[in-house]
Amino acid sequence: MISTLISIAITLIYVLACLFLGLILIKLMLWRWPIINLNLLGKLASGFMLGQGILASTWLLLGLGSVFSKSIIWSIIILILLFGIIILRSSFQKSLAKIKEKVKKLKQLSLIWKIIFLFVIALILSYGVWSFVNLPAGDAEGFYMVLPKVMASARKLRPLPNTFDFSQIGLSGEMHFAALMSIADSAAAQLFIWFTAIAATMFLLAICSMLQIKVLGQIVALIILFSSSTFTLYLSGGKVDVFGAAFGLAAYFWVLEAYRQKKVQNLALVLSGLFLGFNLVAKFPNAATVLPGLFLIIIWNNYSALKKKIRNIFPKIIYPFLIVIAFFLLAIIPHLIKNWFLFNEPLAPFIFIKSAGAKWLDQSWFSSENIHFILKTYPIALTYGQYPMQGGNISFLLLAFAPLIVFSDTLKTIAKTKFFQILAMVLIGILFWILFRPGVMAPRYILPTLLLAIPLVAKIVDDIFTKSRFLILKIVIILSFLIVLLSSTYSNYAQIRQALIMGKANFQKYGRFSAQSSEFLDQKVAKGERVFMAGYYVYFLRPDILQCLSTQSERDDQAFKKQSPEVWSYLYDQGFKYMVVQKVSFPDALKSWDINKKPDWLGIKEIYSDPSVIIYSLEGTKPDQTPQCDCTSLNDKAWDVRCLSGAKK
Amino acid sequence: MKKISVFFFQLILIFWILGCLYVWLTLEFVTNPGLIMIRPNIPPRISNILGKSRQMIWPYVWKDYVYTQK
């Protein structure tokens, strides 16, 4: 219990540090315009996400320099908090007054909407509890929580041997996981995802305010957001999609703000560029759909000036583009340094200068016939699709309520221009994705663009409820909300209850197929011994084992291309003492590897077996030859695979 | 005439919303962890209807996974 409270407390301190850092910078940027009126939620979310982006870059550089230690992390956090309390003291009271105003508006809601609002808050909080209680799942067990675990233990950032190429991606959320795992534990790291989701929520509500959506409509926006499984699935489990969503929404928010508050236009474009850069680093597919929307808004808002004089193209179009691009590049500099330092390819995984490079970005998930089918059914695919690897849907409420626009007054109000601009940003983002990656059906890859559609539908529903007519329609809408809220809240409650009843050890043992076998290996494998892993799910292994796992090359380019008995000799030469086969990842691995067809000097014994995993030990000494590779300790926590010259890892 | 067309559109939209909700519920009963847990408690007749609906919808929301990389 005490460790749980400490974990939560450290997460809160970390959240405050991100918030203070960002707010200090925004206050410094706005020193010339102290009375500028920024939306409170937008400002707080911007501070939090700006601080996040800068801290992630800091941790990344410290990791590259092998000085990512607990003491340095705490020193930076404490410094930020101290400066924050001093510099931001006067802003606290103003913010408190604005919060009280918002609470007054909530009190004016009718009883049914107060009940709905309480349900929404209960749902959001249940996701917070679940994010803390849940364990890393899926890809997080293979990479997103594994790299931070190793970084926190070894105190430096290096690519994981078994996912070497994949380590070229941008690392933002992972850096926060590493910092929190270093100063607290993995539960704190997962809870941080929920706080980032709250920031994404705040940006969405701030965009709702731009459309003059009232409190009721903002509650509708919350319901649609938290019934979108492509968002809620990633509030726990250790993946980083929510970070991309928050940064993407921040970029959208600030480009819209640039043309709402002309006094601070350049500053808003600076922030939009920075958040676009952080968005690329956090989840690079997002940026491909966010960027076109930003440029569209710049052109749209200056179109009439351009029509009057073509000379206006530089100050009105090109200059704002340059501001966005310049600060986008500034935000991605640490990422470029990381890829240059670790892979000698700063532009990886997009462009490879010195090597052929892995082309894993150019992928497709369906046959061309099925791709055409999916494209023809796109709104339905996004809201109801159950395609393999899809990872959730945008809320069906968007599809259900969008046609209500026929009864909405949106098109007659002054907000209609903003409405169409946001709609255009959504459509152009989706169009870009369809054009460049039609064969990849994954709403999470274009999450900020899809979430941007939520305020549009919230506005439509808000308009319906301002009218005195349409009683039955309103009842049906409220019924839909209640059904969605009840099922989602119940689902979270059921999962949390099950996890708490099982207890952490059993939840891990029965909830994650790789946990038990990993626990066995953690007890069996001595320090310095290597494990050959024919599998992806490695999170529960000790950090030293993780650092000396089989590399991608050893597994894919060598072992998988060999048959028995050659493969056993190879594994011996590379210094492996154990071989793990995860049947869910590589069901056919054992078909070409016969443990009975082995060299006489090598003993192969099955030492563990469950329905999902088999583990073999490899013992013996090759005549006249020692292994070419071994796992060497660099210090008490950092390990590396070292091979004799000529041998490859 | 305008009142009739407004009423008519309202009716279409109500059926549209209820239809969207029904499709969502049909699919949720196999994906929502909480609803999966209470499935044994649902009356068989309702389970059968949801199951048949799901069979009809499934070809429009799922296709085989074929991974290719250039």
Side-chain angles (χ1 to χ4, degrees):
Chain A
M1 185 64 185
I2 293 178
S3 63
T4 301
L5 291 171
I6 292 173
S7 200
I8 295 172
I10 293 175
T11 312
L12 287 170
I13 291 169
Y14 191 86
V15 165
L16 273 177
C18 291
L19 177 65
F20 281 8
L21 177 60
L23 287 178
I24 290 169
L25 287 167
I26 290 175
K27 187 161 183 163
L28 291 172
M29 285 182 198
L30 286 173
W31 69 273
R32 284 171 65 192
W33 304 279
I35 55 164
I36 202 81
N37 185 23
L38 283 177
N39 176 279
L40 175 66
L41 294 179
K43 186 177 168 187
L44 289 174
S46 299
F48 179 61
M49 293 311 297
L50 185 61
Q52 254 207 40
I54 293 165
L55 271 181
S57 302
T58 307
W59 304 147
L60 186 114
L61 294 170
L62 289 176
L64 291 176
S66 304
V67 287
F68 185 72
S69 68
K70 224 187 268 198
S71 50
I72 292 183
I73 296 168
W74 270 121
S75 305
I76 291 173
I77 289 173
I78 291 167
L79 259 171
I80 293 169
L81 290 173
L82 285 172
F83 272 109
I85 290 168
I86 297 166
I87 296 173
L88 300 168
R89 211 174 27 201
S90 58
S91 314
F92 293 150
Q93 278 178 325
K94 285 184 213 165
S95 301
L96 218 58
K98 283 189 180 176
I99 292 169
K100 282 181 185 167
E101 255 181 63
K102 290 215 177 276
V103 172
K104 264 191 204 163
K105 286 185 185 166
L106 285 169
K107 286 182 181 170
Q108 291 163 3
L109 289 170
S110 63
L111 178 63
I112 186 69
W113 279 102
K114 279 183 183 152
I115 292 171
I116 291 174
F117 179 67
L118 287 172
F119 257 122
V120 171
I121 296 301
L123 178 62
I124 295 173
L125 289 173
S126 73
Y127 278 118
V129 174
W130 184 231
S131 75
F132 188 73
V133 165
N134 197 11
L135 293 168
D139 291 345
E141 284 181 82
F143 179 83
Y144 296 104
M145 291 285 276
V146 181
L147 183 131
K149 180 175 177 177
V150 170
M151 184 173 166
S153 172
R155 295 187 290 251
K156 60 182 183 175
L157 171 62
R158 294 292 181 271
L160 294 175
N162 60 326
T163 48
F164 188 82
D165 289 339
F166 198 73
S167 305
Q168 291 162 355
I169 63 165
L171 303 172
S172 181
E174 295 88 340
M175 294 299 99
H176 296 296
F177 294 164
L180 282 161
M181 281 175 168
S182 187
I183 60 176
D185 54 26
S186 62
Q190 292 197 118
L191 183 58
F192 188 70
I193 301 172
W194 182 78
F195 281 101
T196 307
I198 297 301
T201 308
M202 286 159 79
F203 277 122
L204 215 61
L205 294 178
I207 293 170
C208 285
S209 296
M210 286 180 180
L211 288 172
Q212 294 167 352
I213 297 173
K214 299 176 218 41
V215 172
L216 192 146
Q218 296 193 22
I219 295 173
V220 171
L222 288 177
I223 297 170
I224 298 175
L225 176 64
F226 284 93
S227 61
S228 297
S229 54
T230 191
F231 179 69
T232 59
L233 273 175
Y234 305 105
L235 300 188
S236 67
K239 283 194 73 172
V240 294
D241 302 81
V242 169
F243 293 89
F247 281 126
L249 286 170
Y252 280 137
F253 170 76
W254 280 104
V255 83
L256 290 168
E257 195 72 358
Y259 294 98
R260 193 181 76 90
Q261 306 235 44
K262 298 271 169 89
K263 256 191 221 171
V264 291
Q265 189 173 90
N266 287 345
L267 170 66
L269 290 172
V270 163
L271 286 168
S272 191
L274 281 174
F275 284 126
L276 181 68
F278 290 141
N279 177 232
L280 178 83
V281 173
K283 192 81 186 176
F284 63 75
N286 289 173
T289 59
V290 172
L291 179 64
L294 302 191
F295 287 165
L296 177 72
I297 293 304
I298 293 171
I299 295 171
W300 187 314
N301 283 283
N302 293 292
Y303 184 65
S304 48
L306 199 56
K307 270 201 322 185
K308 282 183 194 159
K309 279 187 209 167
I310 199 69
R311 278 183 302 176
N312 281 333
I313 193 170
F314 183 83
K316 298 288 181 188
I317 309 287
I318 295 178
Y319 183 64
F321 276 11
L322 288 176
I323 296 177
V324 170
I325 293 298
F327 285 90
F328 161 80
L329 290 172
L330 182 68
I332 69 169
I333 284 174
H335 166 73
L336 298 176
I337 293 173
K338 170 210 127 202
N339 276 355
W340 167 73
F341 185 81
L342 296 179
F343 306 100
N344 219 10
E345 294 279 4
L347 302 176
F350 303 105
I351 298 169
F352 292 89
I353 303 165
K354 293 177 183 165
S355 60
K359 301 277 185 249
W360 57 269
L361 285 180
D362 290 329
Q363 50 182 271
S364 175
W365 297 352
F366 304 96
S367 65
S368 58
E369 189 193 340
N370 287 340
I371 290 171
H372 285 121
F373 176 84
I374 293 168
L375 292 178
K376 276 190 278 187
T377 59
Y378 224 64
I380 294 175
L382 290 172
T383 47
Y384 292 116
Q386 303 291 318
Y387 297 100
M389 311 278 281
Q390 178 168 336
N393 303 98
I394 193 77
S395 178
F396 79 97
L397 295 174
L398 286 178
L399 197 63
F401 298 147
L404 295 173
I405 195 166
V406 296
F407 292 138
S408 162
D409 288 331
T410 297
L411 302 182
K412 299 176 199 164
T413 66
I414 52 170
K416 77 171 182 201
T417 307
K418 224 25 137 226
F419 184 94
F420 280 119
Q421 285 180 359
I422 294 172
L423 179 61
M425 284 204 280
V426 172
L427 293 176
I428 201 173
I430 294 174
L431 185 65
F432 261 69
W433 187 254
I434 289 172
L435 284 172
F436 291 109
R437 282 290 177 270
V440 175
M441 181 57 203
R444 64 186 181 280
Y445 287 176
I446 57 171
L447 191 53
T449 305
L450 292 178
L451 296 183
L452 193 62
I454 292 175
L456 303 177
V457 174
K459 174 73 180 163
I460 292 168
V461 176
D462 192 39
D463 283 348
I464 299 292
F465 276 87
T466 56
K467 296 177 191 300
S468 54
R469 311 184 276 167
F470 309 128
L471 177 64
I472 299 173
L473 189 57
K474 288 176 188 174
I475 290 171
V476 167
I477 292 171
I478 288 176
L479 186 71
S480 310
F481 288 154
L482 288 172
I483 291 173
V484 163
L485 285 170
L486 275 169
S487 77
S488 303
T489 314
Y490 176 74
S491 176
N492 285 353
Y493 163 76
Q495 289 181 108
I496 293 166
R497 186 168 166 270
Q498 189 174 53
L500 292 175
I501 288 172
M502 283 171 90
K504 188 175 176 177
N506 280 332
F507 183 40
Q508 190 167 295
K509 185 175 169 183
Y510 296 109
R512 299 289 178 267
F513 82 88
S514 66
Q516 215 171 338
S517 53
S518 298
E519 198 181 337
F520 173 83
L521 277 171
D522 286 347
Q523 285 161 7
K524 185 86 180 162
V525 177
K527 292 211 171 181
E529 291 184 329
R530 293 194 74 197
V531 174
F532 179 86
M533 177 62 69
Y536 294 125
Y537 305 101
V538 297
Y539 172 76
F540 296 101
L541 289 171
R542 286 193 332 246
D544 61 291
I545 298 175
L546 289 169
Q547 291 173 76
C548 289
L549 275 183
S550 43
T551 65
Q552 248 179 286
S553 172
E554 284 173 328
R555 190 189 68 203
D556 298 340
D557 300 335
Q558 298 295 331
F560 280 176
K561 290 183 178 168
K562 295 182 191 321
Q563 309 273 335
S564 303
E566 203 192 346
V567 68
W568 305 118
S569 264
Y570 173 75
L571 292 180
Y572 172 86
D573 287 341
Q574 297 301 107
F576 293 109
K577 295 282 189 211
Y578 300 91
M579 184 177 90
V580 181
V581 178
Q582 290 179 348
K583 294 176 210 171
V584 68
S585 310
F586 296 102
D588 297 330
L590 291 170
K591 282 184 186 167
S592 37
W593 298 342
D594 184 348
I595 62 166
N596 296 313
K597 284 187 189 165
K598 59 173 181 67
D600 295 331
W601 48 265
L602 188 65
I604 303 174
K605 203 165 104 182
E606 183 186 296
I607 55 172
Y608 177 94
S609 178
D610 70 31
S612 308
V613 180
I614 300 180
I615 303 176
Y616 296 97
S617 68
L618 307 170
E619 284 175 49
T621 308
K622 196 171 189 177
D624 303 323
Q625 193 171 328
T626 51
Q628 306 289 293
C629 300
D630 67 4
C631 184
T632 308
S633 168
L634 304 176
N635 58 44
D636 63 334
K637 296 284 186 183
W639 296 77
D640 197 12
V641 177
R642 296 284 159 94
C643 294
L644 296 173
S645 61
K648 284 185 193 167
K649 61 173 171 171
Chain B
M1 194 61 195
K2 194 181 175 186
K3 270 193 185 166
I4 293 170
S5 54
V6 164
F7 174 76
F8 182 65
F9 274 125
Q10 232 192 117
L11 205 60
I12 293 175
L13 287 172
I14 288 168
F15 277 112
W16 169 256
I17 293 169
L18 290 173
C20 288
L21 184 61
Y22 180 73
V23 171
W24 176 77
L25 274 172
T26 304
L27 294 169
E28 272 291 283
F29 267 91
V30 291
T31 57
N32 182 308
L35 293 179
I36 288 170
M37 278 184 216
I38 64 166
R39 254 200 329 222
N41 301 323
I42 294 169
R45 201 170 169 190
I46 295 177
S47 262
N48 283 340
I49 294 170
L50 288 171
K52 282 190 181 144
S53 303
R54 185 169 161 268
Q55 273 174 3
M56 276 173 51
I57 294 165
W58 198 249
Y60 299 98
V61 296
W62 185 92
K63 296 291 176 201
D64 271 326
Y65 178 70
V66 176
Y67 179 83
T68 50
Q69 187 178 303
K70 285 181 196 164

